[in-house]
Amino acid sequence: MPEGEFEFIARRLRPLATAEGALGLTDDAALLDPRPGHQLVLAKDAMVAGVHFLPDDPPAEIARKLLRVNLSDLAAMGAAPLGYLLALARPSAIADAWLGEFCSGLAADNAEFEIALLGGDTVATPGPLTLSLTALGEVPKGAALLRGGARPGDDLWVSGTLGDAALGLQTLQGKLEVTGEARARLIERYRLPRPRLALGQALRNIATAAIDISDGLLADLGHILEVSGVGAGLDADALPLSPAAQDLPGARDAALSGGDDYELLFTAPPERRADLEALARRLDLPLTRIGEVRAGSDLEVVDARGQRLEPRSKGWQHF
Ligand SMILES: [Mg+2]
C-alpha cells in the first residue's frame, strides 16, 4: 500500500520546508517578505518522464536537475534564490522508495544552495510522471540582467566549458564511446548542471545582456541578438572545451549547438575586460571571450583563420 498524500507531505516534503515562510506546509500558501528595494524573480520549468529524462535515471539526480535548471534561469537574471514550489503528478507505478530518493536529492541541493521548499501540490495521474518546479529569487530593483541590452561593440563572453552535457547525453545513448574519467565527467555535466548563481549576481553591474545556455550556444545567442536588435561575430575556435571533451569527434559542434550546459552567455563593453578577468579569478570559473556584438542582424561564425562556417545536417562546416 503506497503512502497517501498527507503521509507523503508529512514524511517527505515537510523536512524540505525549512524556511519560516513555508509555515511547515500546514497552511494553504507560503508567506514571503520581499526585502525593501528588491524585485521578485520567478522561473518555472516542467519535466516529463520519457521526454526530459529517462524513466530509469537516478531519482535524486532528476530532482536536482529540475531544481538546478530553474536556479540557472535565476542566475541568468542576476538573481539570488529564495526558495521554490513543487508540483508532482504521480502515476501509480512510481514507488514510495523512488519518491524518497527524489526528495533526498532536493534535500542535498537545499543545503548546497541554502534554499527551501515553500509549498506545492501532489496529484495522481494516469499519464507519465510529470514534475514542475517554480523557483523564486530576488534582485535589487532595476538591476536584473535582461536579454535586450547588447550593443554593437560589446564583447561576447561565456562561462565554464561548452558541449560537455551534449557529449554526456550522446555517451549515455551509446552514440559516442568514451571511457574512464572523461566519461564520468561528461555524464555528470549532463545530469547535474551547475547554476552560475555567483557569476550572475556579480554581472549585475558589468553585463549588458545575459542568458543561460539551455538549448545550445547558437540558439540562445540568437535570443539575445533578436531581443537586442543586433548581430554578432562568433569565433568557433575560441569556444572553451573541457579536457574531457576537447579531443572527441563532434566536440566543436556540441559546443556550438548542444544543449544542457547551463553556462551563462553574456555581453559586456570592452572596457570591462579587466574586471571580468578579475572576476574569473575570484570565482575560480573560466570566462572566455568568444566574439563581438555587431550592428545589423547577421550572426557570422568563423574559425581562427577567419574562414566562415555554415550549418550542415551533420554539424557546422567550412563554407
Ligand atoms: Mg533560460
Side-chain angles (χ1 to χ4, degrees):
M1 180 73 184
E3 62 192 10
E5 181 182 2
F6 294 109
E7 196 185 342
F8 172 66
I9 292 170
R11 275 192 59 200
R12 312 278 190 195
L13 297 184
R14 190 161 295 142
L16 301 173
T18 49
E20 195 183 337
L23 306 172
L25 304 183
T26 56
D27 284 64
D28 292 303
L31 294 172
L32 272 186
D33 289 311
R35 283 199 292 161
H38 286 68
Q39 289 174 295
L40 281 179
V41 183
L42 300 102
K44 175 190 271 298
D45 261 300
M47 297 188 358
V48 178
V51 181
H52 303 99
F53 59 90
L54 306 172
D56 58 352
D57 281 345
E61 290 180 14
I62 294 169
R64 298 174 86 180
K65 184 159 185 177
L66 175 66
L67 179 54
R68 287 169 180 228
V69 299
N70 279 283
L71 296 180
S72 179
D73 279 330
L74 296 185
M77 300 286 288
L82 295 171
Y84 59 95
L85 303 165
L86 173 70
L88 195 151
R90 173 188 189 180
S92 57
I94 291 291
D96 290 342
W98 194 100
L99 287 175
E101 286 179 49
F102 181 86
C103 290
S104 54
L106 291 178
D109 272 1
N110 281 1
E112 176 147 358
F113 299 105
E114 299 179 333
I115 53 174
L117 176 70
L118 294 171
D121 197 16
T122 59
V123 295
T125 177
L129 174 66
T130 302
L131 308 160
S132 173
L133 191 142
T134 303
L136 293 87
E138 66 174 14
V139 70
K141 198 169 174 58
L145 300 171
L146 304 177
R147 297 179 180 181
R151 294 292 169 261
D154 282 353
D155 293 323
L156 272 180
W157 293 81
V158 73
S159 64
T161 57
L162 298 179
D164 299 305
L167 295 167
L169 176 60
Q170 287 175 32
T171 304
L172 282 169
Q173 291 170 330
K175 294 176 183 169
L176 183 67
E177 179 123 16
V178 191
T179 53
E181 177 73 3
R183 178 186 171 86
R185 283 193 174 265
L186 296 174
I187 290 174
E188 197 209 333
R189 287 274 287 165
Y190 171 70
R191 286 196 167 147
L192 212 54
R194 288 167 226 167
R196 300 304 188 186
L197 287 158
L199 173 63
Q201 291 163 59
L203 289 177
R204 280 174 196 155
N205 298 313
I206 299 177
T208 50
I211 192 170
D212 68 323
I213 303 177
S214 53
D215 297 335
L217 173 65
L218 293 174
D220 289 311
L221 173 57
H223 295 311
I224 285 188
L225 301 186
E226 190 181 338
V227 181
S228 295
V230 293
L234 184 70
D235 179 357
D237 284 332
L239 303 185
L241 302 178
S242 71
Q246 64 191 2
D247 297 325
L248 295 177
R252 186 174 71 181
D253 287 333
L256 281 168
S257 307
D260 278 313
D261 280 319
Y262 296 98
E263 295 293 348
L264 294 187
L265 168 69
F266 58 95
T267 57
E271 52 269 29
R272 304 308 298 266
R273 284 177 192 171
D275 295 328
L276 287 163
E277 281 154 16
L279 180 61
R281 285 192 295 276
R282 176 163 75 76
L283 297 178
D284 193 21
L285 174 68
L287 299 177
T288 307
R289 201 147 43 85
I290 58 171
E292 87 238 345
V293 178
R294 296 173 181 169
S297 59
D298 286 350
L299 170 58
E300 186 181 46
V301 184
V302 298
D303 67 10
R305 289 167 301 156
Q307 293 212 306
R308 206 177 163 132
L309 303 184
E310 292 295 325
R312 293 278 193 280
S313 61
K314 287 201 172 108
W316 283 66
Q317 299 175 6
H318 283 102
F319 184 52

